[in-house]
Amino acid sequence: DAEITQSPRHKITETGRQVTLACHQTWNHNNMFWYRQDLGHGLRLIHYSYGVQDTNKGEVSDGYSVSRSNTEDLPLTLESAASSQTSVYFCASSAGHSNQPQHFGDGTRLSIL
Amino acid sequence: SQQGEEDPQALSIQEGENATMNCSYKTSINNLQWYRQNSGRGLVHLILIRSNEREKHSGRLRVTLDTSKKSSSLLITASRAADTASYFCAPNSGYSTLTFGKGTMLLVSP
């Protein structure tokens, strides 16, 4: 069965360090998304991609970057981790049309001390 | 993309009862999607209703859409403890990105 996997599931790091969260999907979807979920804010879109070499900023992109070198992967990088970036991060993918659902991974819980 | 607002924020019912949650949005849509999130897991797509549809069913789920009132409702009939989760709506104006609200937290007690 097709799936979307995130790794690691949990990570603890220190402020100032660079952190990369992995997202891999086997749906062969063009679209991929990164969200963060915080109490009181719901899910907020960080970055998204409509295909290889395409990346776009979402609502809360400051301090984050992504790159899309193939269809399957969209890694999320925190260039210099800050305590405000402690959150649960979700990756999702969808086919190329607006009437297609998004498929989510089970998230990465990131703590920055 | 626009954000939906779910109401109520929290809902507590007994097993076997029906659960109704509502979603309001502000501008015209192409479709509206409902998702469920179990504790510690990612969101799972439940149902998509297009703007020209008024009602849609999937198992014990019934979704209605009133575009004149810019609102949708999700009804879960004969709730089970396993339905305990947060539920999110995502009104879609034709983009591939979605904006999620804070959701409705449903607790179904045995």
Side-chain angles (χ1 to χ4, degrees):
Chain A
D1 282 353
E3 59 181 3
I4 180 164
T5 54
Q6 294 184 235
S7 61
R9 291 297 314 276
H10 303 271
K11 185 169 182 67
I12 301 173
T13 190
E14 297 175 346
T15 55
R17 290 191 181 256
Q18 185 180 78
V19 179
T20 296
L21 309 183
C23 175
H24 179 81
Q25 53 101 0
T26 58
W27 289 94
N28 198 32
H29 283 160
N30 286 330
N31 303 336
M32 294 186 74
F33 311 88
W34 273 104
Y35 298 88
R36 61 178 288 176
Q37 187 174 33
D38 306 284
L39 276 173
H41 286 280
L43 280 94
R44 291 181 290 176
L45 184 63
I46 305 171
H47 281 287
Y48 57 100
S49 168
Y50 288 144
V52 176
Q53 302 301 332
D54 176 75
T55 62
N56 305 279
K57 293 181 179 180
E59 178 190 355
V60 290
S61 60
D62 286 350
Y64 303 94
S65 64
V66 293
S67 62
R68 187 92 179 268
S69 58
N70 59 51
T71 300
E72 296 80 17
D73 299 288
L74 187 71
L76 177 72
T77 297
L78 286 68
E79 303 294 345
S80 177
S83 57
S84 60
Q85 294 176 307
T86 291
S87 186
V88 182
Y89 291 86
F90 289 98
C91 180
S93 71
S94 72
H97 304 287
S98 64
N99 61 351
Q100 297 299 312
Q102 291 189 11
H103 299 263
F104 281 76
D106 277 337
T108 293
R109 184 174 294 275
L110 179 63
S111 297
I112 301 166
L113 308 177
Chain B
S1 56
Q2 64 174 305
Q3 181 174 329
E5 271 194 45
E6 298 90 352
D7 176 71
Q9 288 187 331
L11 181 60
S12 183
I13 60 173
Q14 301 288 119
E15 262 191 331
E17 294 180 341
N18 295 342
T20 300
M21 49 207 89
N22 305 296
C23 171
S24 60
Y25 57 91
K26 293 192 170 140
T27 63
S28 63
I29 59 170
N30 179 289
N31 63 71
L32 187 140
Q33 303 177 31
W34 284 92
Y35 289 77
R36 181 190 75 231
Q37 184 180 30
N38 291 94
S39 180
R41 304 296 299 274
L43 276 69
V44 173
H45 179 260
L46 294 176
I47 200 163
L48 180 151
I49 186 165
R50 290 182 168 79
S51 60
N52 61 354
E53 297 175 308
R54 291 297 166 257
E55 188 169 311
K56 202 160 181 181
H57 296 255
S58 177
R60 293 183 296 111
L61 306 181
R62 172 178 162 246
V63 168
T64 61
L65 179 64
D66 187 335
T67 53
S68 67
K69 294 182 179 176
K70 294 186 172 57
S71 67
S72 174
S73 66
L74 170 66
L75 168 69
I76 305 173
T77 59
S79 295
R80 305 166 182 167
D83 294 325
T84 293
S86 290
Y87 293 81
F88 298 87
C89 71
N92 187 343
S93 302
Y95 302 97
S96 292
T97 58
L98 296 175
T99 302
F100 295 92
K102 296 176 185 176
T104 291
M105 195 177 305
L106 173 65
L107 173 63
V108 182
S109 303

